[in-house]
Amino acid sequence: TALRLEQSSTGFRVRNNTIFSNNGIGIDITADSTGGVVRTNIVAWNRFGGSGSGINNLGAAAFSYNDVYGNTTNGFNFMNSNTTAGAFNYVGAGPGTGDLSPSKNPAFASLNPTATNFAYLTFGSPCVNTGDPTDAVPFGGSNRIDMGAREFGGGAPPAAPPSTPVLRAPASNRITNLSTPLFRWSPA
């Protein structure tokens, strides 16, 4: 399972994620999890041999502006009233407001994890400019936020911080307020 909310998770927010090609459930929300929001995500091509593979909502989450596409259960299509041609996209709840229904192929530029354009949306993707219209558009975006983690045309994501944090003291070499230390990342 890529993302599991359990043990009385309440008020959770699952927003702007791309979850795909997972050997398990994409988003699994257990029965004791309530009051959450699942919005502006792409959940595609996940596969699981049991109770669901796209979004398994046994709790009480609200869905909106998602693309849940091509998820399968290796032939076990029980429990789902939204089954089309072996797809197993939703369990426990169907598409919400603004969800692509019927779901559509998100049209990624590449599915190769070593490619520089891995999981980027392409021109003409049904996920471009179809996210929640009340959300702010990230840098490099168009007139409306996209579904998923990467905004079409937004350029490369920022570089990750170094794997080892480095703590630097202020220029004076004195720490004057011990309750608010200053942490900065710097290249190793």
Side-chain angles (χ1 to χ4, degrees):
T1 299
L3 176 62
R4 183 178 174 94
L5 298 147
E6 63 181 8
Q7 310 228 344
S8 300
S9 298
T10 58
F12 56 86
R13 303 286 182 260
V14 179
R15 296 177 51 191
N16 299 98
N17 296 285
T18 300
I19 300 171
F20 74 100
S21 267
N22 176 47
N23 284 321
I25 300 168
I27 299 174
D28 189 16
I29 303 165
T30 62
D32 57 351
S33 298
T34 60
V37 173
V38 178
R39 182 171 82 195
T40 315
N41 299 286
I42 298 171
V43 182
W45 300 300
N46 297 289
R47 56 206 165 277
F48 186 66
S51 64
S53 65
I55 295 179
N56 189 22
N57 182 29
L58 301 179
F63 296 92
S64 60
Y65 302 96
N66 299 291
D67 185 18
V68 184
Y69 175 80
N71 299 284
T72 61
T73 61
N74 300 326
F76 297 102
N77 287 328
F78 59 95
M79 291 177 62
N80 188 11
S81 61
N82 190 24
T83 302
T84 306
F88 206 78
N89 293 324
Y90 295 90
V91 174
T97 301
D99 282 4
L100 295 182
S101 182
S103 61
K104 297 181 177 20
N105 184 328
F108 293 133
S110 174
L111 297 176
N112 178 351
T114 62
T116 58
N117 60 352
F118 173 62
Y120 278 75
L121 298 175
T122 57
F123 179 78
S125 166
C127 299
V128 173
N129 293 329
T130 54
D132 189 330
T134 64
D135 285 347
V137 178
F139 176 77
S142 186
N143 59 344
R144 184 169 165 182
I145 193 169
D146 299 340
M147 292 179 179
R150 294 182 170 158
E151 192 74 11
F152 175 73
S163 59
T164 306
V166 177
L167 177 62
R168 302 228 186 252
S172 67
N173 236 3
R174 283 185 343 176
I175 298 177
T176 56
N177 184 345
L178 295 179
S179 66
T180 54
L182 174 65
F183 292 91
R184 290 197 176 134
W185 291 101
S186 65

